[in-house]
Amino acid sequence: MSIVIEQPVEARLVAAAPRMPSIPATLHYDRRDPFAVRMTFPAPATLENVEVCWTFSRELLSAGLQHPEGHGDVRVRPYGYDRTVLEFHAPEGTAVVHVRSGELRSFLKATGELVPVGLEHLQLDLDHDLAELMRDAC
């Protein structure tokens, strides 16, 4: 069984530079990091002309489909019947994109089949991670 899910989505850029009406983006989920999702934007869509990847919680994405969520660098809220707004805040500026809610629901369904919500902790190897931290601390 695969441990990574990748799903391309079409993001409609609302506010950011350079101006691009629609950009391809990719959603990623890795069961080795079961609480997180990543959204990657290609280089032409960024100010620095380099690929940019945002990491945020799966729970934030899921809750943001229903009502406004987030207070930090990533915020998610529903917009109309079939759109979801994702805001990405950085020192360089803010990017606001619309994504079809159906695409996000499909992605979240696939992640839930890989790692059911509420069972993420079973994917973690805390003993190994703690040993790595302690090894580096000496």
Side-chain angles (χ1 to χ4, degrees), residues 10-132:
E10 181 181 313
R12 181 151 308 268
L13 199 54
V14 176
R19 298 196 190 289
M20 290 179 95
S22 154
I23 54 174
T26 305
L27 290 166
H28 308 266
Y29 181 78
D30 186 334
R31 74 175 181 195
R32 293 172 295 191
D33 190 5
F35 292 101
V37 296
R38 291 180 296 132
M39 190 168 196
T40 304
F41 295 93
T46 70
L47 293 173
E48 297 82 20
N49 202 33
V50 295
E51 182 178 273
V52 171
C53 182
W54 287 84
T55 303
F56 48 97
S57 78
R58 176 169 70 162
E59 181 180 20
L60 172 68
L61 185 59
S62 180
L65 287 167
Q66 306 303 318
H67 49 81
E69 270 305 309
H71 302 286
D73 295 343
V74 180
R75 301 171 191 172
V76 183
R77 69 180 183 277
Y79 182 80
Y81 174 72
D82 190 38
R83 295 279 177 181
T84 300
V85 174
L86 291 97
E87 295 180 16
F88 301 96
H89 298 262
E92 300 81 17
T94 299
V96 179
V97 298
H98 287 190
V99 178
R100 288 184 189 97
S101 300
E103 290 182 313
L104 298 176
R105 284 187 196 97
S106 173
F107 174 74
L108 288 168
K109 180 180 179 201
T111 69
E113 290 170 358
L114 185 61
V115 178
V117 173
L119 299 179
E120 295 92 348
H121 66 283
L122 298 176
Q123 301 299 314
L124 302 175
D125 186 352
L126 295 178
D127 290 334
H128 175 266
D129 294 343
L130 184 58
E132 287 293 311

